[in-house]
Amino acid sequence: MFFIFCVYFASKLPINADSDSLILENDKDFKTYQAIAKNYATQDFLMLAFNPKSGDIFSEDSLQTLQQITQELSTIAEVDSTLNILNAPLLKSSPKLDLQEALEINPTLLSPLVDKNLAKEEFLNHPFYSKNILSKDLKTTGIIVYLKKDAKLEELENLKEDATTPSKNLQALIKEYKQQSQIQNTHTINAIKALKNKYEGLYIGGIPLIANDMIAYVKSDLITYGSTLTIILALMLWMFFRQLHFVFLTLGICFFTLVVSSGIFSFFGYEITVISSNYISLLLIINVSLIVHLIVSYLEFYQKFPNASAKNLLYAVMLAKKSPSFYAILTTMIGFLSLIFSNILPIIHLGIIMSIGVSSALIFTYILFGAILALLPKPKSIKSLPKWHQKLLHSCANIGLKETKIIYPITLLIFLFSLYGITHLKVENSFVNYFKDKSEIKQGLLLIDNQLGGTIPLEILVTFPQKALNNTLFSDFEEEFNILQNEDSYWFDSQKLRIAKIIHTTLEKEEFVGSILSLHTLSQLLQSLGLEPNDFMFAFLYKNTSPALKSQLFAPYANIDKNQIRFVLRIFDSNPHLQRNAFLLKTQETLNNLLNGESLKIEINGAMVLYNNLLQTLISSQINTLSLVILAIFGVFIFVFKSFKLSIIALLINLIPLGVIFGILGVVNIPLDLMAVTIAAIALGIGVDDAIHYIHRFKEEIKRNPLKTAIRNSHQYIGSAMYYTTFIIVVGFCAMMSSNFIPTIYFGFLTTLVMLLMLLSSLILLPALLKSFYKDKIPSNCKQSL
């Protein structure tokens, strides 16, 4: 019943990649981000780029195709409206109309009154259209697809915001509704992608697309990892043990643990995100490693006591491996639990999910391994360890025992290299580079980024101080003038227009800023029409324009109630020279200096800021979590080994390979990302398992053997299990390199490399350190065997 219960909930395990899953916990900028969306009635949008094969966007064929695309977009239920060169109002391209008539009619490119040559010129110089819906070379046009707002979700979010302590029912309702919205968004994006396949030269971009494709990659990776890894593990288990019942036993236990763990995750409301999408691989790898140690121990006892009954063999295995297995899983849990202190929501969830998973793996492995093997007949024979395996382990032991004069200097050089690389670690957050070069999403993002004014949104809010009320008595004239001045149309005074101009003109000179829209964009439009963009003209326009035109020209860039003006930017995300955190800090400093003495509040926000906040915590998070893991694992070592010296040795042989990985990242200038930051805690948590099993066996061997014999015996028995498990781990993480998501590929490669280095360290550096620092423990009556 318990298993069926877990199967039911495992089938409902949710996958999430929306903005909430990629933010810092309690990020104050996220609250500002939500306030902007509410105060300025912003809509989610997708950006389509149409790049006709002919290269002429204004040809009859291109315009006809563009019209067909626009018509088909309008039939998609969740599409609210679109903006492109076909429906954008043109005020200077109709020779027969004066400005007042043009404002009344709002002619577009398809209007018979519009001259196409004049229209090209107007589009190229139009401050709202250039670099937004038309590239400078006239070869690419943009289609901005505004998605409908979800009124019910907005209502639920408002209830949550208004409530002092939102009820669990309300939170659950929001979560459930978001999942439904996610499904609807997927249908919408798939419908738009269908147009891309239908019309040549059409590309798609935008934050909703990035989130949707991340979810698709997560689902794909879950299936790929599960199926591919199962097949590979089965082949490796057969290659190592040549016993089918060991293969099926291992896979059966792993499947049971995976289903139970997934059911528990789902029951407690945890979601799978981009970061935790590798939980299947991690759990399978850790579970198989645990079982392999039990199988190797079982085979060892079988060789020593071939006439023993199956139950007695199992009893001996359980007694021998209970302590090292428990402490190995405990250190792994410590590694994952340390992630909950990262302050990064998806990483916190990964830590909780994997802690539940590995504890389940320990419990059910011991229950099922003993119960199933007790019911099966004892194997009639077992295959001995291949000779090349024995030679490899013997050679590693000899190198460690005899070549310390070479090993220690190399280790010192590696340590210095690691220190140098770690000091040069950096973080970056290019969405474009998160996807493979040949992927459709990257091609679309690059085209939009390079030709249509950038990809990643950035927003700047400037809040003006509220004017103090004068309580003195006014004359009738003064009172009338004051009432007039307080009308909305007179809010656009010379100070606000001056500030808008200063900020806008400064930002548009920045190398990494593409499109920028603000109140000053309207000033530029008025200038192009031969009108003076002063406060009186703004007041006239605001008072006399239609609500629809007002919502386009004023509402996105000014909020009278909040006494704010807003600048909407898009940043060239693919620019290789863009250092995002440095750019944001420089922009904030520039604006502060520029407006010094103006008594204004300046805030920089947007998707770029939120994600940058998250990534900038990676270094501090890495230090905090790694420090916690090291201290906790060292404490476990002290408790298990009852030796300060052995605990230091066990820690060193794992920290040195880990340092190499981060040294490489720093030296070759590969930035840390959301997944790379988890490598330290995960690799250390998994890697120390071998040290625990090895030193536990070494302590048993040293009681009855000289030092070198104890080391060689430990290599022969535990060493085989160590490289079995390491190769299984390596193959498991290699499977991640088949992902379409670049951070997952990096994670798989780097974890593979660190696990191989940890194996090498355990097989070579560990015996060298034991020989050098454990000699005082050798009984005086023992002779060293050479």
Side-chain angles (χ1 to χ4, degrees):
M1 287 298 294
F2 175 69
F3 183 73
I4 294 172
F5 170 84
C6 290
V7 168
Y8 171 78
F9 278 98
S11 66
K12 297 180 176 296
L13 187 63
I15 298 173
N16 182 20
D18 65 15
S19 59
D20 289 0
S21 73
L22 292 173
I23 58 168
L24 284 176
E25 199 170 25
N26 302 319
D27 186 354
K28 60 181 179 60
D29 283 323
F30 185 61
K31 294 178 181 177
T32 304
Y33 180 82
Q34 290 176 312
I36 292 172
K38 185 177 180 181
N39 295 334
Y40 289 90
T42 61
Q43 291 177 270
D44 287 335
F45 66 91
L46 289 163
M47 189 78 176
L48 275 62
F50 180 49
N51 184 234
K53 195 173 182 180
S54 65
D56 182 5
I57 199 68
F58 288 96
S59 70
E60 289 298 327
D61 288 342
S62 297
L63 292 178
Q64 186 177 357
T65 302
L66 185 59
Q67 192 170 9
Q68 291 171 353
I69 294 170
T70 305
Q71 287 172 350
E72 293 200 42
L73 284 169
S74 65
T75 63
I76 299 173
E78 294 304 309
V79 171
D80 185 43
S81 61
T82 62
L83 176 65
N84 57 67
I85 61 172
L86 296 180
N87 60 9
L90 297 169
L91 302 178
K92 296 172 61 179
S93 303
S94 306
K96 296 181 180 180
L97 298 177
D98 59 28
L99 180 58
Q100 186 174 352
E101 291 173 325
L103 282 170
E104 291 175 0
I105 297 174
N106 282 333
T108 64
L109 185 62
L110 298 179
S111 171
L113 297 171
V114 169
D115 184 300
K116 283 187 181 178
N117 291 323
L118 292 175
K120 287 182 186 180
E121 193 67 26
E122 183 171 354
F123 275 121
L124 276 176
N125 297 294
H126 198 293
F128 281 100
Y129 304 153
S130 179
K131 294 195 299 184
N132 275 298
I133 58 174
L134 191 66
S135 63
K136 285 291 186 183
D137 61 6
L138 300 178
K139 293 182 179 179
T140 306
T141 184
I143 308 171
I144 302 175
V145 182
Y146 293 102
L147 303 177
K148 288 180 180 176
K149 280 204 165 191
D150 195 322
K152 185 176 179 181
L153 182 58
E154 191 174 350
E155 181 184 347
L156 291 172
E157 290 285 6
N158 288 336
L159 287 173
K160 180 183 175 182
E161 189 177 332
D162 294 339
T164 309
T165 52
S167 67
K168 289 185 178 180
N169 289 338
L170 178 59
Q171 291 174 332
L173 192 61
I174 291 173
K175 197 171 191 178
E176 183 181 350
Y177 197 76
K178 277 187 174 182
Q179 290 171 10
Q180 295 173 2
S181 298
Q182 192 179 89
I183 294 171
Q184 184 59 58
N185 287 341
T186 300
H187 290 323
T188 301
I189 290 172
N190 287 341
I192 295 174
K193 283 183 175 180
L195 294 181
K196 180 191 178 304
N197 297 329
K198 182 176 179 181
Y199 295 101
E200 188 178 3
L202 190 63
Y203 298 87
I204 312 175
I207 296 295
L209 175 71
I210 293 172
N212 181 79
D213 278 21
M214 280 184 176
I215 293 172
Y217 289 159
V218 169
K219 290 180 177 178
S220 173
D221 287 347
L222 287 174
I223 296 169
T224 301
Y225 298 161
S227 55
T228 305
L229 198 53
T230 300
I231 295 169
I232 292 173
L233 289 177
L235 292 173
M236 293 189 71
L237 289 166
W238 167 253
M239 183 180 72
F240 290 152
F241 302 119
R242 302 297 176 90
Q243 299 281 346
L244 278 178
H245 68 276
F246 283 143
V247 176
F248 288 116
L249 173 68
T250 303
L251 296 181
I253 294 173
C254 288
F255 176 75
F256 186 92
T257 303
L258 187 61
V259 170
V260 169
S261 300
S262 299
I264 294 172
F265 306 157
S266 181
F267 178 77
F268 285 105
Y270 290 108
E271 298 172 323
I272 299 303
T273 65
V274 172
I275 310 305
S276 54
S277 62
N278 55 14
Y279 91 95
I280 287 182
S281 290
L282 289 171
L283 194 52
L284 282 173
I285 288 164
I286 293 167
N287 205 0
V288 169
S289 301
L290 180 62
I291 297 169
V292 165
H293 276 287
L294 293 178
I295 294 173
V296 170
S297 180
Y298 181 87
L299 296 177
E300 181 189 344
F301 279 110
Y302 186 98
Q303 285 182 321
K304 288 182 178 179
F305 310 105
N307 297 322
S309 67
K311 290 184 179 179
N312 286 337
L313 286 175
L314 282 171
Y315 186 68
V317 170
M318 298 299 182
L319 283 177
K321 302 303 291 184
K322 65 176 178 26
S323 291
S325 294
F326 173 76
Y327 290 115
I329 289 298
L330 178 61
T331 54
T332 303
M333 284 184 64
I334 289 170
F336 283 113
L337 281 173
S338 70
L339 299 177
I340 67 176
F341 298 99
S342 67
N343 201 35
I344 301 171
L345 206 59
I347 294 179
I348 292 170
H349 286 172
L350 174 63
I352 295 171
I353 284 172
M354 287 308 304
S355 299
I356 294 171
V358 296
S359 56
S360 300
L362 176 65
I363 294 168
F364 292 112
T365 293
Y366 265 75
I367 292 173
L368 295 174
F369 185 87
I372 295 172
L373 276 186
L375 296 174
L376 295 174
K378 192 174 71 170
K380 294 181 180 179
S381 63
I382 58 170
K383 294 186 179 293
S384 301
L385 196 68
K387 289 184 178 180
W388 70 270
H389 286 196
Q390 294 175 331
K391 288 180 180 179
L392 174 64
L393 294 171
H394 187 69
S395 298
C396 290
N398 281 339
I399 292 171
L401 292 171
K402 297 179 180 179
E403 304 296 338
T404 52
K405 291 182 180 180
I406 298 174
I407 292 171
Y408 291 154
I410 292 174
T411 303
L412 178 60
L413 289 174
I414 289 172
F415 176 73
L416 294 174
F417 167 83
S418 301
L419 281 182
Y420 174 80
I422 289 170
T423 59
H424 288 77
L425 280 174
K426 67 172 187 176
V427 294
E428 277 301 340
N429 60 335
S430 172
F431 282 107
V432 170
N433 292 328
Y434 274 1
F435 304 98
K436 288 183 176 179
D437 290 341
K438 294 183 179 179
S439 64
E440 291 183 356
I441 182 171
K442 183 164 186 177
Q443 291 174 6
L445 289 172
L446 281 175
L447 181 65
I448 292 167
D449 203 54
N450 295 327
Q451 300 296 326
L452 294 172
T455 308
I456 302 303
L458 184 67
E459 304 189 21
I460 296 172
L461 285 182
V462 178
T463 305
F464 295 86
Q466 295 290 344
K467 292 182 180 179
L469 293 175
N470 190 347
N471 293 324
T472 59
L473 293 175
F474 294 103
S475 66
D476 291 343
F477 173 78
E478 289 172 327
E479 187 175 354
E480 184 179 347
F481 180 79
N482 195 56
I483 294 170
L484 183 65
Q485 191 178 30
N486 287 331
E487 288 185 11
D488 286 351
S489 57
Y490 287 94
W491 182 85
F492 300 91
D493 57 30
S494 57
Q495 182 202 15
K496 296 181 180 68
L497 299 184
R498 176 177 59 83
I499 296 297
K501 180 179 180 180
I502 292 172
I503 294 175
H504 188 112
T505 54
T506 300
L507 291 174
E508 67 182 357
K509 295 174 185 175
E510 290 288 339
E511 176 187 0
F512 308 115
V513 174
S515 166
I516 173 169
L517 299 174
S518 69
L519 280 182
H520 184 63
T521 313
L522 179 55
S523 295
Q524 292 174 318
L525 176 61
L526 292 174
Q527 281 182 325
S528 71
L529 297 173
L531 301 172
E532 183 64 28
N534 53 36
D535 46 356
F536 295 106
M537 179 57 69
F538 268 75
F540 173 80
L541 281 175
Y542 189 82
K543 195 169 185 178
N544 293 283
T545 52
S546 64
L549 194 56
K550 190 181 294 184
S551 67
Q552 293 179 25
L553 298 178
F554 291 95
Y557 315 113
N559 188 300
I560 296 173
D561 294 335
K562 298 291 181 182
N563 215 23
Q564 288 176 341
I565 58 174
R566 174 179 175 235
F567 300 79
V568 182
L569 297 77
R570 280 189 282 124
I571 307 301
F572 293 122
D573 189 55
S574 62
N575 191 314
H577 303 296
L578 174 61
Q579 296 181 5
R580 288 150 187 84
N581 189 57
F583 167 74
L584 291 172
L585 291 174
K586 180 189 172 186
T587 302
Q588 183 76 58
E589 183 182 3
T590 300
L591 294 178
N592 288 340
N593 293 335
L594 195 66
L595 303 173
N596 187 28
E598 295 279 358
S599 299
L600 304 171
K601 181 182 178 183
I602 304 167
E603 296 175 275
I604 301 179
N605 205 277
M608 182 178 183
V609 171
L610 295 181
Y611 199 52
N612 185 70
N613 287 351
L614 185 150
L615 289 178
Q616 291 310 310
T617 65
L618 292 184
I619 296 292
S620 60
S621 169
Q622 186 73 86
I623 294 170
N624 293 338
T625 56
L626 190 54
S627 301
L628 184 65
V629 170
I630 291 171
L631 286 173
I633 288 177
F634 185 69
V636 173
F637 284 165
I638 292 287
F639 181 79
V640 175
F641 302 143
K642 305 292 190 298
S643 166
F644 184 81
K645 193 179 292 184
L646 282 177
S647 300
I648 290 290
I649 290 172
L651 204 56
L652 280 176
I653 63 166
N654 287 285
L655 287 180
I656 290 171
L658 196 60
V660 172
I661 295 302
F662 288 101
I664 292 171
L665 288 175
V667 169
V668 302
N669 206 31
I670 297 176
L672 279 176
D673 57 37
L674 277 175
M675 297 190 74
V677 74
T678 64
I679 290 175
I682 292 173
L684 197 56
I686 297 174
V688 297
D689 295 0
D690 286 341
I692 290 175
H693 284 285
Y694 188 100
I695 294 178
H696 185 273
R697 181 56 181 258
F698 171 77
K699 289 189 70 178
E700 294 297 319
E701 293 289 340
I702 199 67
K703 293 176 183 177
R704 53 182 181 270
N705 293 299
L707 177 62
K708 291 185 179 179
T709 304
I711 290 173
R712 288 195 174 98
N713 287 348
S714 299
H715 261 59
Q716 181 181 357
Y717 295 110
I718 298 301
S720 59
M722 283 166 57
Y723 78 75
Y724 284 163
T725 55
T726 299
F727 287 149
I728 287 171
I729 290 169
V730 165
V731 170
F733 283 115
C734 281
M736 295 184 184
M737 291 185 233
S738 64
S739 175
N740 288 312
F741 195 52
I742 298 298
T744 302
I745 296 172
Y746 276 148
F747 178 83
F749 172 74
L750 293 172
T751 312
T752 295
L753 185 57
V754 75
M755 296 311 298
L756 286 173
L757 291 174
M758 282 182 171
L759 175 64
L760 197 63
S761 180
S762 296
L763 292 178
I764 295 176
L765 181 59
L766 178 55
L769 292 171
L770 289 175
K771 177 195 170 186
S772 299
F773 297 101
Y774 204 78
K775 59 180 65 175
D776 294 338
K777 299 290 183 181
I778 303 299
S780 57
N781 60 344
C782 286
K783 295 181 180 180
Q784 293 294 317
S785 133
L786 299 173

